[in-house]
Amino acid sequence: MRVIPTIFLVALLAACSGQERDDGVVPGSVADVYQQAQRSMDSGNYPRAIFILEQIQNRFPFSDLGKQAQVDLIYCFYKSGRVEEAIDAADQFIRENPTSPLLDYALYIKGLTYFDEEPGRFSQMFGVDRAARPPAENRQALATFLRLLERYPSSEYADDARQRVLFLKERLARYENYVAEFYLRRGAYVAAANRAKQALEQFDGADANLRSLEIMAEAYDNLNLPELAADARRVLAENERSRSL
């Protein structure tokens, strides 16, 4: 046999170092394997990135890159539309790493996962009133973003989270008003007033709060509670004046 030149041998080993074995395992150190996962993420090949990141978790669970891979998995599941897996991965990381410097990122991606469950283009295309749709995902998204802002007010993700909180409060207040109006039309005035009051208290600052006060005033009128009706109208007038300034 001829001796393989050293330069050719080095080149051959370098070419093979990133290839998978027959059993699907990506060989190399944790840094080498993570670099391949990063390349897959950068190119948008999230299924491939998930495949490699899960190997890092299994093979190098206690390394720093193992923790990074755990967080990257949340993002890759989110980008792949694998909602339940993204949320489960986020919950697991948050539970296992309560002091991690990556915790704000995990919360942010979890919030985005819930937030993006809100139907957009489909609803607009078919004229669906989004206020009439039960906003379960919105409540989860709001709770997650509020938790992020409470624990990490200076996080690099905080400004975006604050904007999403404003949107979510508006969306949820509108839904509460929609239900309150349903009760109002059917003469269930106590239920209408309570639902509008709930919107006012839970989602303060939303533009829809003005409508909540109108519903409360109308419901109290029908319940023959003039003082409460007058108080609702007074607060409504004050809010309208402050918003016009």
Side-chain angles (χ1 to χ4, degrees):
M1 294 179 62
R2 291 188 302 169
V3 177
I4 300 176
T6 302
I7 295 177
F8 177 77
L9 181 61
V10 171
L12 181 64
L13 290 173
C16 295
S17 63
Q19 295 179 357
E20 297 173 16
R21 301 193 321 226
D22 290 341
D23 59 3
V25 173
V26 179
S29 67
V30 62
D32 294 334
V33 179
Y34 182 76
Q35 192 174 45
Q36 291 195 52
Q38 190 68 54
R39 283 198 292 267
S40 295
M41 290 174 62
D42 291 343
S43 66
N45 188 353
Y46 299 112
R48 171 68 177 171
I50 290 170
F51 175 76
I52 300 173
L53 291 168
E54 287 180 333
Q55 288 195 28
I56 294 174
Q57 274 197 298
N58 292 332
R59 292 164 56 192
F60 313 101
F62 304 113
S63 65
D64 289 341
L65 285 177
K67 295 299 181 184
Q68 181 64 54
Q70 195 175 1
V71 173
D72 288 339
L73 263 176
I74 304 169
Y75 177 77
C76 289
F77 284 139
Y78 159 66
K79 294 295 288 185
S80 300
R82 294 164 65 173
V83 173
E84 291 185 3
E85 288 164 290
I87 293 169
D88 287 345
D91 286 341
Q92 180 179 350
F93 182 85
I94 293 166
R95 183 172 59 252
E96 295 176 353
N97 305 277
T99 60
S100 170
L102 300 171
L103 196 61
D104 61 335
Y105 179 74
L107 285 167
Y108 179 66
I109 299 301
K110 179 182 176 182
L112 286 183
T113 304
Y114 280 123
F115 186 89
D116 285 358
E117 280 290 273
E118 168 73 8
R121 186 177 304 173
F122 178 85
S123 297
Q124 295 172 7
M125 185 182 303
F126 293 96
V128 176
D129 183 0
R130 293 166 72 180
R133 182 178 180 272
E137 297 86 2
N138 290 165
R139 294 184 186 278
Q140 296 283 3
L142 179 61
T144 304
F145 286 132
L146 288 174
R147 183 180 178 189
L148 166 62
L149 293 172
E150 180 182 0
R151 294 193 61 177
Y152 306 100
S154 300
S155 167
E156 62 182 295
Y157 312 108
D159 286 343
D160 186 72
R162 288 188 186 96
Q163 294 301 313
R164 294 177 189 275
V165 164
L166 293 176
F167 172 87
L168 290 164
K169 281 188 172 184
E170 190 66 40
R171 164 76 172 91
L172 290 162
R174 286 180 58 214
Y175 176 73
E176 295 301 315
N177 287 346
Y178 174 85
V179 176
E181 288 169 344
F182 173 86
Y183 288 137
L184 199 61
R185 289 192 300 270
R186 281 153 181 76
Y189 301 120
V190 173
N194 287 340
R195 203 71 186 237
K197 184 180 179 182
Q198 180 174 304
L200 198 64
E201 293 173 345
Q202 292 185 359
F203 311 116
D204 59 297
D207 290 340
N209 288 161
L210 299 179
R211 178 57 186 152
S212 302
L213 288 162
E214 291 174 348
I215 294 170
M216 289 170 64
E218 185 175 349
Y220 291 141
D221 280 338
N222 283 281
L223 290 168
N224 195 27
L225 297 169
E227 292 184 1
L228 290 178
D231 189 54
R233 289 192 172 92
R234 178 185 56 78
V235 176
L236 174 62
E238 290 174 356
N239 274 268
E240 288 175 333
R241 278 196 300 271
S242 64
R243 288 167 189 258
S244 65
L245 295 178

